[in-house]
Amino acid sequence: MKFGKILSKNDTGETDSHQAGIAIPKSNGELLDFFPSLKNTPDNNPDCWITCEDTDRTKWKMRYIWYNGKLHGRSTRNEYRLSHSTSFIKSWNAKSGDEVIFESTKNPFYFKIKLNKKKETTSDKSDVIKLTGWRKVY
């Protein structure tokens, strides 16, 4: 199974914000099931490390984390992210509008990863806000 995400400026660090990693919507149960389960733990901010192998066979360690402090009264966050993705993003010179594709393997902690660069068009305007998100890849 494969899932792709059109990267946002937050995902790539282009906004210089404090947010770390690629956002994963908690409303998409199929996507959450694609990654290792973090639900069956009472821990604050449960996480696991996954390995992603790119098309050059370079391996990238990423932290899949559920920031769940809101459920424990410790913060306002209740979101999933893939952190430690900055090295991959910088190495591949990923920018907002590019798509990252994750492909599952038999090992639930090991994924194939690929970056598809955005095709530039003359109609692209930098001041236009574009919505980004995850999609199942067939």
Side-chain angles (χ1 to χ4, degrees):
M1 184 177 300
K2 296 180 188 179
F3 275 93
K5 181 173 193 300
I6 304 297
L7 296 171
S8 69
K9 288 186 178 190
N10 256 359
D11 294 330
T12 61
E14 293 172 72
T15 61
D16 292 325
S17 74
H18 69 283
Q19 293 183 349
I22 300 170
I24 300 172
K26 62 181 181 283
S27 61
N28 187 331
E30 188 176 21
L31 178 58
L32 292 179
D33 289 343
F34 175 74
F35 291 106
S37 178
L38 300 176
K39 285 281 191 186
N40 295 327
T41 176
D43 297 342
N44 185 44
N45 299 335
D47 68 341
C48 67
W49 288 90
I50 63 172
T51 300
C52 300
E53 182 181 328
D54 68 21
T55 54
D56 289 340
R57 302 191 76 175
T58 302
K59 293 178 176 69
W60 305 91
K61 292 280 193 184
M62 296 185 191
R63 182 180 181 215
Y64 176 49
I65 184 167
W66 176 23
Y67 289 108
N68 65 0
K70 185 174 184 177
L71 305 178
H72 299 282
R74 296 185 181 120
S75 76
T76 59
R77 293 177 80 179
N78 183 17
E79 62 191 26
Y80 292 83
R81 287 196 174 268
L82 279 174
S83 65
H84 295 265
S85 55
T86 304
S87 295
F88 170 80
I89 287 169
K90 285 184 178 180
S91 176
W92 283 87
N93 195 28
K95 301 291 182 200
S96 62
D98 294 345
E99 183 177 33
V100 64
I101 296 178
F102 292 87
E103 181 178 356
S104 62
T105 67
K106 290 180 182 181
N107 179 338
F109 299 95
Y110 197 89
F111 296 82
K112 300 287 186 173
I113 190 171
K114 177 182 175 183
L115 185 77
N116 290 333
K117 299 297 276 180
K118 175 177 115 177
K119 292 178 177 62
E120 295 295 328
T121 65
T122 56
S123 64
D124 283 348
K125 295 186 188 230
S126 61
D127 60 341
V128 175
I129 296 172
K130 295 181 179 116
L131 300 178
T132 59
W134 288 88
R135 69 181 181 93
K136 194 171 186 177
V137 178
Y138 297 95

